[in-house]
Amino acid sequence: MARAISTQRKVGFTVFAWLIAFVIFFPILWTFLTSFKTEGTAIATPPQFLFFNWTLENYETVLERSNYFRFLGNSIITAVGSTLLGLVIAIPAAWAMAFSPTKHTKDILMWMLSTKMLPAVGVLVPITMLFRMAGLTDTHLGLTLVLTLINLPIIVWMLFTYFKEIPVDILEAARMDGASLRQEVIYVLTPMAIPGIASTILLNIILAWNESFWTIVLTTTQATPLPAFIAAYSSPEGLFWAKLSAASMMAIAPILIMGWFSQKQLVRGLTFGAVK
């Protein structure tokens, strides 16, 4: 029997949740406000929160100085491409680990997850040398491959978790009906795991979109995505906070909009199988 919660506790939890949400969201809010300030107002002391002269000058300057849509296109190509390539690799891998496990399956999963604990700078030299020798530096293919490798453990882990919640009896029934392994994965398993796959796609697009270390290291001009677009406004002359904030808002706006409209699907997928 569920325990009743008093109105006071509900109000207290609600207020606490809103405070936590505000603390998390505040940096984005402050960046948004700063993007409409002049450079002088942006560094004013004490800081001005709402009552200042709003201006679009920073956005105009950023659009004049940089080809924003080229950076945006590069981000879309690499983020979506790396996610789709990761799914092609991860779906069969997660299927094998979920429905045909061996005594080493858990060890392999833990090993894959442990690669996320390795600092990126630890493999900077070998990856940079390999990319130069293979001619993949500053290419969409090279950046897509790196982002795929970075996020592949997360994709496999998420899909493995979703696949484990699918009854094995359904797959066995498909085999009894004469379904091949390929048909079982494509026509039976994948449609049943659509919520999980959708949330995996959304989360990994976000991770790939926000990756800055490798995008700055491995690109120079042709394949530079939005993180490099933001970094361009940090110069030896100093940080231009207002213009940097405008560039940051232009870089995160597409992913914020996507996350806002897909939040229900994302939450549904992330909680898939959580309630027994």
Side-chain angles (χ1 to χ4, degrees):
M1 182 176 179
R3 185 170 57 182
I5 301 178
S6 65
T7 304
Q8 290 182 343
R9 293 190 67 181
K10 288 182 180 179
V11 172
F13 285 137
T14 301
V15 171
F16 180 73
W18 275 103
L19 287 174
I20 296 296
F22 179 77
V23 170
I24 295 173
F25 180 72
F26 184 76
I28 299 176
L29 175 62
W30 188 253
T31 302
F32 173 77
L33 294 174
T34 305
S35 68
F36 291 99
K37 299 177 180 179
T38 62
E39 292 295 344
T41 308
I43 60 174
T45 304
Q48 300 179 22
F49 191 71
L50 290 174
F51 303 102
F52 57 87
N53 294 324
W54 293 60
T55 178
L56 293 173
E57 176 187 354
N58 300 309
Y59 289 95
E60 294 172 356
T61 303
V62 169
L63 288 173
E64 289 175 1
R65 283 183 50 184
S66 307
N67 189 350
Y68 167 74
F69 292 101
R70 179 174 65 83
F71 290 99
L72 176 63
N74 290 337
S75 284
I76 293 174
I77 291 172
T78 54
V80 175
S82 63
T83 300
L84 294 179
L85 179 59
L87 284 176
V88 171
I89 301 171
I91 288 177
W95 176 91
M97 294 179 183
F99 301 111
S100 298
T102 66
K103 62 179 182 180
H104 300 297
T105 296
K106 291 184 178 180
D107 296 332
I108 294 173
L109 285 168
M110 289 305 300
W111 171 77
M112 293 182 66
L113 194 61
S114 69
T115 61
K116 296 293 294 180
M117 305 175 191
L118 177 68
V121 72
V123 292
L124 173 61
V125 174
I127 287 184
T128 303
M129 293 178 63
L130 287 172
F131 268 57
R132 286 180 180 176
M133 289 187 292
L136 294 175
T137 304
D138 198 23
T139 63
H140 293 114
L141 176 60
L143 191 56
T144 298
L145 290 175
V146 166
L147 294 177
T148 300
L149 294 175
I150 291 172
N151 295 325
L152 190 59
I154 300 297
I155 301 175
V156 172
W157 260 94
M158 291 182 69
L159 293 179
F160 170 77
T161 303
Y162 302 137
F163 289 173
K164 287 290 288 184
E165 299 299 323
I166 296 176
V168 181
D169 296 342
I170 296 178
L171 300 182
E172 291 179 349
R175 293 168 195 162
M176 293 178 63
D177 289 338
S180 64
L181 179 59
R182 175 177 169 275
Q183 292 172 329
E184 178 184 326
V185 173
I186 295 177
Y187 299 113
V188 181
L189 179 65
T190 302
M192 294 186 64
I194 284 296
I197 293 175
S199 64
T200 302
I201 290 173
L202 293 172
L203 181 60
N204 283 275
I205 286 177
I206 294 172
L207 292 174
W209 191 279
N210 293 332
E211 175 60 39
S212 60
F213 180 81
W214 290 112
T215 56
I216 294 174
V217 169
L218 297 176
T219 62
T220 53
T221 55
Q222 299 300 319
T224 46
L226 287 170
F229 166 75
I230 298 174
Y233 290 89
S234 174
S235 67
E237 300 173 2
L239 292 175
F240 298 94
W241 291 110
K243 294 179 181 61
L244 184 62
S245 297
S248 299
M249 289 308 303
M250 293 173 68
I252 67 176
I255 209 72
L256 283 177
I257 294 171
M258 187 193 76
W260 177 265
F261 284 104
S262 60
Q263 57 182 318
K264 289 184 179 179
Q265 182 64 49
L266 184 60
V267 172
R268 180 187 175 192
L270 292 175
T271 57
F272 182 69
V275 180
K276 299 292 185 182

